[in-house]
Amino acid sequence: MADQRGQKGESSTQKKALRYLAAFLALMVLCTLLSGAANALTLARIKTEAIRPMSLKHDTSLSGTLAPKYEQAVFTLPDQKVSSVQVKEGDMVKEGDILFQVDLEELEEQLERARDELKKAEYQQKDANSAGTLEAKEKQKAEARAREDYDHTLEEADRKIREAEAAWADAQARLDIIRDKTVTPETDADAGQGYTQEQKQQDINTLEQETDARKQDYDAAVAEKEEKMRNAGRQVEDASSPSPSNHSNAIADLDQKEIERRIQKLEQLKEDGGAVRSTMDGVVKKLETATGQITSSTMAALLTDTSNGYRFEAAASKNEIKYLAVGDEVTLDFGDQYEPVSGLRIESIEAAGEDSDQSLISLDVPPQKEKLPSTAELKASRTTKKYTAVVPVEALRVEKGKYFLYMPSEKESVLGKITVVERVDVEILDKNDQYAAVEGAFLESNEVLVHSNKTVNTGDRVRKEES
């Protein structure tokens, strides 16, 4: 009996131990489940998209101006008072139609003033011609007198030289005679009939002084001739020098011709009743005058002819036209009130200036059934080659100028498989507003993080949301 009671007690103890163990294990499982649920609630929830091969589409839109290919400016005489205007901007006109008229009374006054101005110019021209003729005669007279004075000076100087030379020669001859004269004995000298050596020497000294004086007179006459002839020559040179250029007559003649042309234009305008007319069939694009205004030398009106089509031009930076090229097909959009014009092609892309980053895009637009507005939007699209790895632009991250992606990766842990994000550096090959073509060392998941409900960093656990 005792053995049986002992066995029953031991069996009861084992059963209790097993129940406690089972309860403990159940509690551990419950804690694990609760812990996993708690972690799941605190993890960042992410959305991913697969990296895929595709081409990129680049859309270009540029604002520009549209003008008829043929335009013609209308001018009239300046300083005319506009008496009436017959058209307004946007009106269709035929060649010869009156655009506006000027005041005939004011026109007649201007014509009279111009005629008086012409008469004054003619009188001034006659006076100038008369003065020029008189000046030429005076110059001829001065030149003739200078040459006459030169000849007279030469003749007088030569006469003085001849006289001085003759006096010098005479003194030299008398000196030579005395030098050759024979001296008589003193006995004859005492008798008053001889010629002593002392007398001879006195005569020689006297004549030598006279000869030197005559030579000096001759040298002075020669020097005087040189000086006088130099001065006389200068007088001739000054009188013969050409007069300074004087274009006053030519200028006056040009002024006179200009007045004559102005009178002719005023007379033509008067004969047409002061009417300023259209020079072609077309549309009045601009009208730069109004009733009561005074005309100027600038454009009075601008006429356009759309029968030959339009010219579109747009200025843009080099980055804006990165995906445009000559020959590309484009469309011009004019807003809701006009139908777009498609099938156009870019004709030229040129630099706007040597030091400018701007380029000028131009193309022709054929004639349209309705008149087009002056502004338009150029729209073009280009599809690139197919890239092997393209991601949404929302997936791109940047740090210190370098781009990278977050890619999910599965790892084993004590709680089983978990998902973390890893950083993958990439280079951008091309991109548009929605997608970017990239290259880099991608993970096996081939998915990129595009959205997260909270900030994540490399190695953070995340939970993917089912799409």
PDB file of all heavy atoms in Angstrom, residues 173-198:
ATOM      1  N   ALA A 173      94.494 146.916-108.618  1.00  0.00           N
ATOM      2  CA  ALA A 173      95.357 147.304-109.756  1.00  0.00           C
ATOM      3  C   ALA A 173      96.286 148.433-109.362  1.00  0.00           C
ATOM      4  O   ALA A 173      97.491 148.432-109.714  1.00  0.00           O
ATOM      5  CB  ALA A 173      94.485 147.716-110.939  1.00  0.00           C
ATOM      6  N   ARG A 174      95.774 149.441-108.697  1.00  0.00           N
ATOM      7  CA  ARG A 174      96.606 150.558-108.266  1.00  0.00           C
ATOM      8  C   ARG A 174      97.655 150.096-107.282  1.00  0.00           C
ATOM      9  O   ARG A 174      98.792 150.585-107.295  1.00  0.00           O
ATOM     10  CB  ARG A 174      95.724 151.655-107.641  1.00  0.00           C
ATOM     11  CG  ARG A 174      94.925 152.389-108.729  1.00  0.00           C
ATOM     12  CD  ARG A 174      94.161 153.614-108.198  1.00  0.00           C
ATOM     13  NE  ARG A 174      92.986 153.239-107.461  1.00  0.00           N
ATOM     14  CZ  ARG A 174      92.814 153.453-106.174  1.00  0.00           C
ATOM     15  NH1 ARG A 174      93.766 154.056-105.473  1.00  0.00           N
ATOM     16  NH2 ARG A 174      91.706 153.084-105.572  1.00  0.00           N
ATOM     17  N   LEU A 175      97.314 149.105-106.428  1.00  0.00           N
ATOM     18  CA  LEU A 175      98.302 148.568-105.488  1.00  0.00           C
ATOM     19  C   LEU A 175      99.406 147.852-106.256  1.00  0.00           C
ATOM     20  O   LEU A 175     100.614 147.993-105.922  1.00  0.00           O
ATOM     21  CB  LEU A 175      97.622 147.605-104.509  1.00  0.00           C
ATOM     22  CG  LEU A 175      98.526 146.874-103.539  1.00  0.00           C
ATOM     23  CD1 LEU A 175      99.251 147.886-102.620  1.00  0.00           C
ATOM     24  CD2 LEU A 175      97.727 145.896-102.679  1.00  0.00           C
ATOM     25  N   ASP A 176      99.051 147.141-107.294  1.00  0.00           N
ATOM     26  CA  ASP A 176     100.055 146.412-108.081  1.00  0.00           C
ATOM     27  C   ASP A 176     100.995 147.386-108.793  1.00  0.00           C
ATOM     28  O   ASP A 176     102.221 147.136-108.918  1.00  0.00           O
ATOM     29  CB  ASP A 176      99.367 145.516-109.107  1.00  0.00           C
ATOM     30  CG  ASP A 176      98.621 144.361-108.451  1.00  0.00           C
ATOM     31  OD1 ASP A 176      98.929 144.038-107.272  1.00  0.00           O
ATOM     32  OD2 ASP A 176      97.701 143.764-109.090  1.00  0.00           O
ATOM     33  N   ILE A 177     100.427 148.518-109.249  1.00  0.00           N
ATOM     34  CA  ILE A 177     101.272 149.526-109.929  1.00  0.00           C
ATOM     35  C   ILE A 177     102.307 150.083-108.969  1.00  0.00           C
ATOM     36  O   ILE A 177     103.496 150.234-109.302  1.00  0.00           O
ATOM     37  CB  ILE A 177     100.382 150.640-110.508  1.00  0.00           C
ATOM     38  CG1 ILE A 177      99.537 150.085-111.667  1.00  0.00           C
ATOM     39  CG2 ILE A 177     101.220 151.824-110.977  1.00  0.00           C
ATOM     40  CD1 ILE A 177      98.508 151.076-112.178  1.00  0.00           C
ATOM     41  N   ILE A 178     101.860 150.432-107.771  1.00  0.00           N
ATOM     42  CA  ILE A 178     102.774 150.997-106.788  1.00  0.00           C
ATOM     43  C   ILE A 178     103.843 149.984-106.425  1.00  0.00           C
ATOM     44  O   ILE A 178     105.036 150.337-106.266  1.00  0.00           O
ATOM     45  CB  ILE A 178     102.013 151.482-105.544  1.00  0.00           C
ATOM     46  CG1 ILE A 178     101.107 152.676-105.888  1.00  0.00           C
ATOM     47  CG2 ILE A 178     102.965 151.860-104.409  1.00  0.00           C
ATOM     48  CD1 ILE A 178     101.889 153.885-106.434  1.00  0.00           C
ATOM     49  N   ARG A 179     103.430 148.747-106.313  1.00  0.00           N
ATOM     50  CA  ARG A 179     104.418 147.717-105.955  1.00  0.00           C
ATOM     51  C   ARG A 179     105.474 147.564-107.055  1.00  0.00           C
ATOM     52  O   ARG A 179     106.642 147.239-106.776  1.00  0.00           O
ATOM     53  CB  ARG A 179     103.706 146.385-105.713  1.00  0.00           C
ATOM     54  CG  ARG A 179     102.988 146.330-104.368  1.00  0.00           C
ATOM     55  CD  ARG A 179     102.237 145.037-104.251  1.00  0.00           C
ATOM     56  NE  ARG A 179     101.623 144.901-102.911  1.00  0.00           N
ATOM     57  CZ  ARG A 179     100.723 143.988-102.571  1.00  0.00           C
ATOM     58  NH1 ARG A 179     100.328 143.110-103.486  1.00  0.00           N
ATOM     59  NH2 ARG A 179     100.228 143.977-101.341  1.00  0.00           N
ATOM     60  N   ASP A 180     105.070 147.804-108.298  1.00  0.00           N
ATOM     61  CA  ASP A 180     106.033 147.657-109.413  1.00  0.00           C
ATOM     62  C   ASP A 180     106.811 148.943-109.694  1.00  0.00           C
ATOM     63  O   ASP A 180     107.734 148.962-110.545  1.00  0.00           O
ATOM     64  CB  ASP A 180     105.273 147.248-110.685  1.00  0.00           C
ATOM     65  CG  ASP A 180     104.684 145.862-110.548  1.00  0.00           C
ATOM     66  OD1 ASP A 180     105.185 145.075-109.697  1.00  0.00           O
ATOM     67  OD2 ASP A 180     103.693 145.534-111.259  1.00  0.00           O
ATOM     68  N   LYS A 181     106.414 150.028-109.077  1.00  0.00           N
ATOM     69  CA  LYS A 181     107.078 151.321-109.349  1.00  0.00           C
ATOM     70  C   LYS A 181     108.511 151.325-108.825  1.00  0.00           C
ATOM     71  O   LYS A 181     108.778 150.853-107.739  1.00  0.00           O
ATOM     72  CB  LYS A 181     106.275 152.447-108.697  1.00  0.00           C
ATOM     73  CG  LYS A 181     106.739 153.825-109.112  1.00  0.00           C
ATOM     74  CD  LYS A 181     105.792 154.876-108.533  1.00  0.00           C
ATOM     75  CE  LYS A 181     106.238 156.278-109.005  1.00  0.00           C
ATOM     76  NZ  LYS A 181     105.315 157.315-108.481  1.00  0.00           N
ATOM     77  N   THR A 182     109.442 151.971-109.627  1.00  0.00           N
ATOM     78  CA  THR A 182     110.874 151.975-109.285  1.00  0.00           C
ATOM     79  C   THR A 182     111.177 153.128-108.338  1.00  0.00           C
ATOM     80  O   THR A 182     110.673 154.242-108.508  1.00  0.00           O
ATOM     81  CB  THR A 182     111.723 152.134-110.552  1.00  0.00           C
ATOM     82  OG1 THR A 182     111.380 151.091-111.467  1.00  0.00           O
ATOM     83  CG2 THR A 182     113.212 152.081-110.222  1.00  0.00           C
ATOM     84  N   VAL A 183     112.039 152.836-107.376  1.00  0.00           N
ATOM     85  CA  VAL A 183     112.466 153.844-106.404  1.00  0.00           C
ATOM     86  C   VAL A 183     113.626 154.622-107.009  1.00  0.00           C
ATOM     87  O   VAL A 183     114.589 154.036-107.530  1.00  0.00           O
ATOM     88  CB  VAL A 183     112.881 153.193-105.073  1.00  0.00           C
ATOM     89  CG1 VAL A 183     113.399 154.233-104.102  1.00  0.00           C
ATOM     90  CG2 VAL A 183     111.701 152.436-104.490  1.00  0.00           C
ATOM     91  N   THR A 184     113.650 155.987-106.956  1.00  0.00           N
ATOM     92  CA  THR A 184     114.736 156.817-107.501  1.00  0.00           C
ATOM     93  C   THR A 184     115.753 157.096-106.411  1.00  0.00           C
ATOM     94  O   THR A 184     115.419 157.027-105.211  1.00  0.00           O
ATOM     95  CB  THR A 184     114.156 158.136-108.032  1.00  0.00           C
ATOM     96  OG1 THR A 184     113.493 158.806-106.968  1.00  0.00           O
ATOM     97  CG2 THR A 184     113.175 157.881-109.179  1.00  0.00           C
ATOM     98  N   PRO A 185     117.016 157.516-106.822  1.00  0.00           N
ATOM     99  CA  PRO A 185     118.055 157.802-105.811  1.00  0.00           C
ATOM    100  C   PRO A 185     117.635 158.960-104.935  1.00  0.00           C
ATOM    101  O   PRO A 185     116.812 159.790-105.330  1.00  0.00           O
ATOM    102  CB  PRO A 185     119.292 158.132-106.651  1.00  0.00           C
ATOM    103  CG  PRO A 185     119.033 157.510-107.997  1.00  0.00           C
ATOM    104  CD  PRO A 185     117.566 157.560-108.202  1.00  0.00           C
ATOM    105  N   GLU A 186     118.326 158.989-103.804  1.00  0.00           N
ATOM    106  CA  GLU A 186     117.997 160.050-102.847  1.00  0.00           C
ATOM    107  C   GLU A 186     118.378 161.423-103.353  1.00  0.00           C
ATOM    108  O   GLU A 186     117.762 162.414-102.999  1.00  0.00           O
ATOM    109  CB  GLU A 186     118.704 159.777-101.510  1.00  0.00           C
ATOM    110  CG  GLU A 186     118.175 158.534-100.824  1.00  0.00           C
ATOM    111  CD  GLU A 186     118.842 158.328 -99.465  1.00  0.00           C
ATOM    112  OE1 GLU A 186     119.668 159.201 -99.099  1.00  0.00           O
ATOM    113  OE2 GLU A 186     118.495 157.337 -98.783  1.00  0.00           O
ATOM    114  N   THR A 187     119.404 161.508-104.199  1.00  0.00           N
ATOM    115  CA  THR A 187     119.813 162.815-104.719  1.00  0.00           C
ATOM    116  C   THR A 187     118.712 163.426-105.521  1.00  0.00           C
ATOM    117  O   THR A 187     118.433 164.632-105.433  1.00  0.00           O
ATOM    118  CB  THR A 187     121.065 162.664-105.610  1.00  0.00           C
ATOM    119  OG1 THR A 187     120.790 161.706-106.650  1.00  0.00           O
ATOM    120  CG2 THR A 187     122.260 162.201-104.794  1.00  0.00           C
ATOM    121  N   ASP A 188     118.060 162.580-106.299  1.00  0.00           N
ATOM    122  CA  ASP A 188     116.928 163.079-107.070  1.00  0.00           C
ATOM    123  C   ASP A 188     115.769 163.445-106.158  1.00  0.00           C
ATOM    124  O   ASP A 188     115.037 164.403-106.416  1.00  0.00           O
ATOM    125  CB  ASP A 188     116.458 162.018-108.081  1.00  0.00           C
ATOM    126  CG  ASP A 188     117.537 161.775-109.171  1.00  0.00           C
ATOM    127  OD1 ASP A 188     118.351 162.658-109.374  1.00  0.00           O
ATOM    128  OD2 ASP A 188     117.447 160.667-109.782  1.00  0.00           O
ATOM    129  N   ALA A 189     115.710 162.675-105.091  1.00  0.00           N
ATOM    130  CA  ALA A 189     114.630 162.968-104.143  1.00  0.00           C
ATOM    131  C   ALA A 189     114.851 164.304-103.478  1.00  0.00           C
ATOM    132  O   ALA A 189     113.918 165.062-103.236  1.00  0.00           O
ATOM    133  CB  ALA A 189     114.539 161.858-103.099  1.00  0.00           C
ATOM    134  N   ASP A 190     116.124 164.604-103.203  1.00  0.00           N
ATOM    135  CA  ASP A 190     116.381 165.879-102.576  1.00  0.00           C
ATOM    136  C   ASP A 190     116.054 167.023-103.522  1.00  0.00           C
ATOM    137  O   ASP A 190     115.683 168.124-103.104  1.00  0.00           O
ATOM    138  CB  ASP A 190     117.861 165.973-102.171  1.00  0.00           C
ATOM    139  CG  ASP A 190     118.173 164.974-101.036  1.00  0.00           C
ATOM    140  OD1 ASP A 190     117.178 164.573-100.338  1.00  0.00           O
ATOM    141  OD2 ASP A 190     119.324 164.580-100.860  1.00  0.00           O
ATOM    142  N   ALA A 191     116.201 166.745-104.781  1.00  0.00           N
ATOM    143  CA  ALA A 191     115.893 167.797-105.755  1.00  0.00           C
ATOM    144  C   ALA A 191     114.394 167.899-105.969  1.00  0.00           C
ATOM    145  O   ALA A 191     113.947 168.734-106.738  1.00  0.00           O
ATOM    146  CB  ALA A 191     116.616 167.517-107.095  1.00  0.00           C
ATOM    147  N   GLY A 192     113.694 167.018-105.376  1.00  0.00           N
ATOM    148  CA  GLY A 192     112.226 167.064-105.512  1.00  0.00           C
ATOM    149  C   GLY A 192     111.736 166.298-106.710  1.00  0.00           C
ATOM    150  O   GLY A 192     110.577 166.391-107.084  1.00  0.00           O
ATOM    151  N   GLN A 193     112.605 165.497-107.371  1.00  0.00           N
ATOM    152  CA  GLN A 193     112.181 164.742-108.536  1.00  0.00           C
ATOM    153  C   GLN A 193     112.238 163.241-108.317  1.00  0.00           C
ATOM    154  O   GLN A 193     111.832 162.475-109.179  1.00  0.00           O
ATOM    155  CB  GLN A 193     113.104 165.103-109.741  1.00  0.00           C
ATOM    156  CG  GLN A 193     113.018 166.567-110.102  1.00  0.00           C
ATOM    157  CD  GLN A 193     113.984 166.920-111.244  1.00  0.00           C
ATOM    158  OE1 GLN A 193     114.802 166.081-111.664  1.00  0.00           O
ATOM    159  NE2 GLN A 193     113.905 168.166-111.722  1.00  0.00           N
ATOM    160  N   GLY A 194     112.667 162.775-107.233  1.00  0.00           N
ATOM    161  CA  GLY A 194     112.816 161.335-107.008  1.00  0.00           C
ATOM    162  C   GLY A 194     111.601 160.711-106.285  1.00  0.00           C
ATOM    163  O   GLY A 194     110.659 161.388-105.913  1.00  0.00           O
ATOM    164  N   TYR A 195     111.616 159.308-106.140  1.00  0.00           N
ATOM    165  CA  TYR A 195     110.537 158.526-105.461  1.00  0.00           C
ATOM    166  C   TYR A 195     111.214 157.573-104.500  1.00  0.00           C
ATOM    167  O   TYR A 195     111.792 156.560-104.912  1.00  0.00           O
ATOM    168  CB  TYR A 195     109.716 157.748-106.490  1.00  0.00           C
ATOM    169  CG  TYR A 195     108.510 157.055-105.862  1.00  0.00           C
ATOM    170  CD1 TYR A 195     107.520 157.807-105.235  1.00  0.00           C
ATOM    171  CD2 TYR A 195     108.389 155.680-105.917  1.00  0.00           C
ATOM    172  CE1 TYR A 195     106.441 157.158-104.683  1.00  0.00           C
ATOM    173  CE2 TYR A 195     107.304 155.036-105.364  1.00  0.00           C
ATOM    174  CZ  TYR A 195     106.313 155.778-104.738  1.00  0.00           C
ATOM    175  OH  TYR A 195     105.238 155.134-104.174  1.00  0.00           O
ATOM    176  N   THR A 196     111.175 157.964-103.251  1.00  0.00           N
ATOM    177  CA  THR A 196     111.976 157.240-102.279  1.00  0.00           C
ATOM    178  C   THR A 196     111.238 155.968-101.830  1.00  0.00           C
ATOM    179  O   THR A 196     110.039 155.790-102.039  1.00  0.00           O
ATOM    180  CB  THR A 196     112.251 158.122-101.047  1.00  0.00           C
ATOM    181  OG1 THR A 196     111.012 158.414-100.425  1.00  0.00           O
ATOM    182  CG2 THR A 196     112.951 159.430-101.450  1.00  0.00           C
ATOM    183  N   GLN A 197     112.006 155.134-101.203  1.00  0.00           N
ATOM    184  CA  GLN A 197     111.460 153.865-100.662  1.00  0.00           C
ATOM    185  C   GLN A 197     110.431 154.130 -99.576  1.00  0.00           C
ATOM    186  O   GLN A 197     109.416 153.438 -99.451  1.00  0.00           O
ATOM    187  CB  GLN A 197     112.613 153.002-100.110  1.00  0.00           C
ATOM    188  CG  GLN A 197     112.158 151.653 -99.586  1.00  0.00           C
ATOM    189  CD  GLN A 197     111.603 150.764-100.685  1.00  0.00           C
ATOM    190  OE1 GLN A 197     112.093 150.812-101.830  1.00  0.00           O
ATOM    191  NE2 GLN A 197     110.566 149.992-100.377  1.00  0.00           N
ATOM    192  N   GLU A 198     110.649 155.158 -98.841  1.00  0.00           N
ATOM    193  CA  GLU A 198     109.715 155.493 -97.763  1.00  0.00           C
ATOM    194  C   GLU A 198     108.361 155.907 -98.325  1.00  0.00           C
ATOM    195  O   GLU A 198     107.295 155.503 -97.839  1.00  0.00           O
ATOM    196  CB  GLU A 198     110.315 156.627 -96.921  1.00  0.00           C
ATOM    197  CG  GLU A 198     109.428 157.009 -95.747  1.00  0.00           C
ATOM    198  CD  GLU A 198     110.061 158.130 -94.912  1.00  0.00           C
ATOM    199  OE1 GLU A 198     111.184 158.532 -95.206  1.00  0.00           O
ATOM    200  OE2 GLU A 198     109.370 158.573 -93.970  1.00  0.00           O
TER     201      GLU A 198
END
